[in-house]
Amino acid sequence: MFDYPKDPYTGVIFASADAVPLEFWTWDNFRPHELACKGTGQVLIDPHSMDCLQRLRNILGQPIHLNSAFRSETHNRAVGGVKNSYHLTARAYDVRMRGHTPRSFEKAARIAGFTGFGFYPPKNGGYNFMHIDTGPAREWGKRW
């Protein structure tokens, strides 16, 4: 059996989604490839944050589409992420709002256990997204 480290932030980074042991994966509505770093393909999982994400999916009763989850330091720099981003520790997700009402999504995310919120309304006809994380309680950006 796979023993996940007690401190996931200093723990295992899987080389790819295919390297994540099946016995480790307990989140029914998500797959490791959805959480992989878009730059390196590596996967780091924070079990508490994933439990919150699964709880959010259960509350909403519909799919959640992730723009971003874990980011390696190199990829985080490449996309302009902040130095101490919770994406670096697999505790943050950027969720596409297509198919979700931002107000009800935020309410459900708070109920599910998320505490950090960034609001990114659409610009120039693009898709909007909401950043959610399990860091300290805070929020930024303009609600829509």
Side-chain angles (χ1 to χ4, degrees):
M1 177 176 237
F2 182 77
D3 291 322
Y4 197 81
K6 297 281 189 240
D7 181 3
Y9 312 118
T10 60
V12 175
I13 294 179
F14 299 101
S16 70
D18 293 335
V20 178
L22 292 177
E23 63 270 17
F24 170 75
W25 201 258
T26 61
W27 304 281
D28 292 337
N29 294 108
F30 299 94
R31 297 294 169 256
H33 74 272
E34 295 176 86
L35 291 298
C37 173
K38 303 276 194 248
T40 64
Q42 296 172 316
V43 177
L44 175 65
I45 301 297
D46 173 62
H48 169 70
S49 297
M50 279 302 300
D51 289 347
C52 290
L53 191 65
Q54 182 62 57
R55 194 174 311 117
L56 175 58
R57 168 62 173 83
N58 294 346
I59 292 168
L60 293 171
Q62 60 181 321
I64 296 172
H65 300 284
L66 303 176
N67 289 339
S68 182
F70 167 67
R71 294 183 195 151
S72 69
E73 288 186 27
T74 302
H75 185 63
N76 191 57
R77 278 193 303 274
V79 300
V82 297
K83 184 178 179 181
N84 295 318
S85 171
Y86 283 96
H87 287 282
L88 297 168
T89 57
R91 295 175 64 193
Y93 310 97
D94 292 342
V95 181
R96 204 173 319 142
M97 287 291 101
R98 187 172 25 177
H100 298 287
T101 303
R103 187 179 311 262
S104 62
F105 182 88
E106 178 188 356
K107 181 179 178 182
R110 289 182 187 279
I111 291 168
F114 289 99
T115 49
F117 291 84
F119 306 99
Y120 297 88
K123 293 181 187 174
N124 304 322
Y127 290 109
N128 49 356
F129 70 95
M130 189 178 299
H131 168 101
I132 56 176
D133 68 49
T134 57
R138 69 214 186 289
E139 58 182 62
W140 63 94
K142 184 179 177 185
R143 283 186 163 80
W144 60 100

